[in-house]
Amino acid sequence: MIGIPEAFARSTALREGESGAVWIGELPKILDELLARWECVPDGEVVHGGVGVIVPVRRRDGSAAVVKVSFPHPGNVHEPDAFAAWGGRGAVMLYERDDACFAMLLERAGTATLAEAADGDEVLTVAGRISRRLTVPAPPGLPRLRDRAGLWEARLRGDAEELTHALSRRTLDAAVATVRELGRDQPDVLVHGDLHAGNILRAEREPWLAVDPKGYVGDPAYDGGALFKSRAPALIAATDVRRAVHRTLDVFAEAAELDRERVRRWAQFHAVQAVFWGRRHGFLAARDGARLDRFTEFADYVAELLV
């Protein structure tokens, strides 16, 4: 029976409560049944992300793969749909799926991520090219980002009223305008939905492949904004932040073959969201103390700069 990493079991039970604890108890049996059905054998140490475990395996033909099982959650429903639509184009291949178990048998990529690349332009160029390759006609039944526009606007306005912040009216209005003008009218193409350098892995079939998609339908420039937000630690360390911010937009937009102005507007929207999220919850890279203050000030600055 496959062992479940203790840290993952503990964090899942803490986050999900009783349902999480029950699922963790059933997970070894689920994995054993999947491996038997898909004719795979374990081939390495079990690793995990925030909501799922990944078991390296060998398939019957000897090829390397992974079995991924996620905690049942609406955000994970369309991950296999995205992989199926891409068919290995810029992303790992989907070999098998069991939607009831939130499980997939996937092509095995490496463990090194694009986030480990030292060259910032390389990160942006690779991510942009991956984004371009993932932009394909959307299959039916996937969630539309445009359907979230009303919620986005309501949250922006609610946060602006409820939280103490330093953003100007002009900056808030710019984010709301992006939601109204770009958010409600988006193309019917598939986008990753959570594109950042940590979700792009070194691979053998291609140099880099994407993992962990959300499977949204919408504006590819939205993914550019999400990637921009994930570059905050590198940008905050830059000698010339203004230059680094604009360089980030320029390099990604060119590599992704996207309109630079649309990428800028989505990046500004994401920055304003980050301003409010940080004040409510902190940031993944800065939960409290002086580091949180620094990231909060940086988010404020970028949200204003991108107007």
Side-chain angles (χ1 to χ4, degrees):
M1 185 170 287
I2 295 173
I4 307 303
E6 182 178 343
F8 177 75
R10 185 169 55 250
S11 64
T12 301
L14 182 64
R15 183 185 66 248
E16 306 294 343
E18 183 179 355
S19 63
V22 170
W23 180 75
I24 287 293
E26 296 172 346
L27 187 53
K29 181 181 178 182
I30 292 172
L31 287 167
D32 285 346
E33 291 177 349
L34 290 169
L35 265 62
R37 188 196 320 158
W38 291 338
E39 298 182 282
C40 297
V41 294
D43 184 45
E45 184 178 353
V46 178
V47 296
H48 65 89
V51 297
V53 294
I54 298 171
V55 183
V57 298
R58 289 279 171 183
R59 302 168 73 198
R60 186 176 183 180
D61 62 5
S63 61
V66 297
V67 172
K68 178 179 180 180
V69 183
S70 300
F71 180 80
H73 186 275
N76 303 329
V77 168
H78 297 289
E79 183 176 3
D81 296 323
F83 284 132
W86 290 324
R89 175 191 169 99
V92 296
M93 289 283 295
L94 173 70
Y95 299 133
E96 303 282 356
R97 61 192 289 179
D98 184 325
D99 293 356
C101 291
F102 283 71
M104 296 174 289
L105 179 65
L106 298 166
E107 173 184 6
R108 192 192 305 181
T111 58
T113 75
L114 182 59
E116 297 166 29
D119 186 337
D121 279 6
E122 179 188 8
V123 172
L124 298 166
T125 299
V126 170
R129 290 172 178 170
I130 290 286
S131 174
R132 186 178 72 239
R133 298 192 69 205
L134 299 182
T135 302
V136 299
L142 297 187
R144 264 55 183 170
L145 283 173
R146 64 172 177 253
D147 293 338
R148 305 176 69 181
L151 178 60
W152 285 339
E153 181 174 351
R155 284 182 174 173
L156 286 175
R157 294 189 181 282
D159 285 344
E161 293 179 3
E162 295 171 16
L163 300 174
T164 301
H165 62 86
L167 296 184
S168 67
R169 183 77 256 171
R170 175 170 172 262
T171 298
L172 290 168
D173 287 347
V176 171
T178 294
V179 172
R180 289 182 170 180
E181 296 166 16
L182 303 185
R184 287 181 162 82
D185 183 19
Q186 301 188 48
D188 284 328
V189 295
L190 180 60
V191 298
H192 186 284
D194 190 22
L195 188 70
H196 60 77
N199 278 342
I200 301 175
L201 304 181
R202 276 284 187 193
E204 292 185 4
R205 180 171 57 84
E206 295 185 8
W208 299 99
L209 292 171
V211 297
D212 294 345
K214 296 300 183 186
Y216 291 138
V217 178
D219 190 345
Y222 172 89
D223 267 355
L227 175 71
F228 178 89
K229 184 169 61 176
S230 75
R231 296 295 294 160
L235 293 172
I236 202 171
T239 303
D240 185 337
V241 174
R242 177 183 291 269
R243 181 177 182 278
V245 164
H246 288 293
R247 177 72 179 173
T248 297
L249 297 176
D250 291 342
V251 174
F252 176 83
E254 181 178 359
E257 298 182 9
L258 292 171
D259 178 61
R260 199 258 195 196
E261 177 65 5
R262 293 183 75 91
V263 176
R264 179 199 65 80
R265 293 188 68 182
W266 279 118
Q268 196 268 343
F269 163 74
H270 280 287
V272 173
Q273 281 190 321
V275 165
F276 294 135
W277 178 269
R279 282 171 165 80
R280 286 194 186 277
H281 309 286
F283 299 99
L284 186 62
R287 292 300 188 189
D288 51 36
R291 185 170 173 83
L292 174 58
D293 293 340
R294 187 181 180 201
F295 270 72
T296 301
E297 291 174 4
F298 176 76
D300 290 347
Y301 171 75
V302 171
E304 300 277 354
L305 174 65
L306 287 173
V307 175

